Amino acid sequence: MSNTTVHGKVWAAVTQAFKLPMAFIRQMITKLINRVLMSTLPSPKMAGQAIVESNRRKMVVGLGNPGMSGSRHSVGMAVLTTLAERLGTQDRWRPDREVSGEVVVTQLQDIQLVLLRPKLLMNINGVSVAKAASKFLIPPEHILLIHDELDKPLGKFGIKHGGSPRGHNGVRSCVDCLHTDVMPRLRIGIGRPSGKTPVDRYVLGRFSQEEQNVLDSVMKQSVDVLLAFLTDSQSQTSPAEGRRASRKNKARTLSPPQDTTEEHKQN
């Protein structure tokens, strides 16, 4: 065996040994940043209204990186923009410093709907989501997250009813800041990179023209599914599956596992 081969194997082993600790350190740093930014929450905007009205209030969040609306990682923001256009509110986005994001408040049938585009990086999107939830008195089970999904090919999308972040840093930040993972998600497939392209470079890259043509159809159909989900009375009244943590001790409790993913494929 040549020295080059031996050195290559040793280097690969050392690199692999550092991967897990470094990933763990990054997660700890992100959690610390989340907590620092969450130290002050905005006062509830609707505190004078009856608590029962919170059942008729929902929020839809497009996860992504500000200023990178054309990237794969920010496809959630693109779908949210399409939703705003469908609702006729595309010109009503307003910056809200209290929630570190841009907000639209509108009406969908008997639901007061809040649309949120975080202005923080993906890894700390949850800070913006938690601040908006506090301000508008929206419980986590009525917060729907839209995000990219590596494990779904481009052209597929689906509703997931709570559960693990499955490696998505934006969703993980929301789970950490809301202390629960019951939030439903609309997952938009972007597929995995081919060859040796690093995942981080892939998700921050832009869609090709051919991919964009597929995505345009996906966004229209996913908004149809999203609107149906938001106006479904059962989805408003039944508890979302997932884990909820106590605000007092943050100890997680598990709900019975169920297969609650609804997958769709663009026509």
Side-chain angles (χ1 to χ4, degrees):
M1 183 180 293
S2 67
N3 288 336
T4 303
T5 303
V6 172
H7 290 161
K9 288 188 174 182
V10 170
W11 178 250
V14 171
T15 303
Q16 187 64 34
F18 275 95
K19 275 184 179 179
L20 181 59
M22 288 304 295
F24 179 75
I25 291 171
R26 284 197 298 269
Q27 285 188 25
M28 291 300 100
I29 292 174
T30 301
K31 285 187 177 183
L32 179 60
I33 294 172
N34 283 338
R35 290 178 183 178
V36 170
L37 294 176
M38 287 282 294
S39 58
T40 56
L41 291 175
S43 300
K45 182 178 180 181
M46 304 171 182
Q49 298 184 20
I51 296 299
V52 69
E53 289 190 6
S54 67
N55 290 328
R56 297 196 296 272
R57 200 174 299 135
K58 291 192 173 189
M59 180 162 66
V60 181
V61 185
L63 300 184
N65 286 306
M68 298 186 67
S69 57
S71 71
R72 294 182 179 90
H73 214 20
S74 296
V75 71
M77 287 186 171
V79 174
L80 186 68
T81 298
T82 302
L83 173 63
E85 291 171 354
R86 182 79 64 86
L87 296 173
T89 60
Q90 66 269 27
D91 297 325
R92 290 171 53 186
W93 290 103
R94 296 291 181 269
D96 189 330
R97 296 181 62 183
E98 287 187 313
V99 305
S100 304
E102 295 178 319
V103 172
V104 167
V105 180
T106 188
Q107 200 73 21
L108 177 62
Q109 296 183 10
D110 63 340
I111 302 167
Q112 186 171 58
L113 189 62
V114 178
L115 309 183
L116 172 66
R117 289 194 302 213
K119 298 297 287 183
L120 301 173
L121 293 176
M122 174 71 89
N123 289 12
I124 52 175
N125 269 192
V127 173
S128 180
V129 176
K131 285 184 174 182
S134 175
K135 178 174 182 175
F136 294 102
L137 290 177
I138 302 175
E141 57 268 25
H142 288 174
I143 300 173
L144 189 140
L145 311 175
I146 312 175
H147 65 89
D148 58 302
E149 179 56 61
L150 282 165
D151 291 330
K152 284 184 182 294
L154 182 67
K156 287 192 175 182
F157 58 94
I159 297 282
K160 184 175 186 290
H161 298 257
S164 166
R166 297 174 65 130
H168 194 286
N169 291 330
V171 177
R172 181 183 290 115
S173 176
C174 294
V175 170
D176 289 343
C177 293
L178 292 169
H179 310 302
T180 179
D181 64 4
V182 300
M183 296 79 69
R185 302 108 199 233
L186 175 59
R187 302 186 299 159
I188 308 297
I190 61 170
R192 287 192 171 273
S194 58
K196 296 183 179 179
T197 303
V199 170
D200 54 352
R201 182 184 302 175
Y202 173 75
V203 298
L204 294 177
R206 300 177 70 88
F207 292 101
S208 68
Q209 185 57 56
E210 183 179 356
E211 290 173 328
Q212 188 63 52
N213 292 337
V214 176
L215 184 63
D216 289 342
S217 178
V218 167
M219 288 196 293
K220 292 175 183 177
Q221 294 183 46
S222 62
V223 166
D224 290 337
V225 171
L226 180 55
L227 288 171
F229 180 82
L230 290 170
T231 54
D232 179 13
S233 60
Q234 184 174 354
S235 70
Q236 295 178 47
T237 57
S238 61
E241 291 79 10
R243 299 175 296 176
R244 177 180 293 278
S246 165
R247 292 281 181 175
K248 184 177 181 180
N249 57 24
K250 299 184 182 179
R252 296 188 184 278
T253 56
L254 294 177
S255 60
Q258 297 183 34
D259 181 7
T260 56
T261 301
E262 302 166 11
E263 188 171 277
H264 304 267
K265 184 174 182 179
Q266 68 98 11
N267 296 323

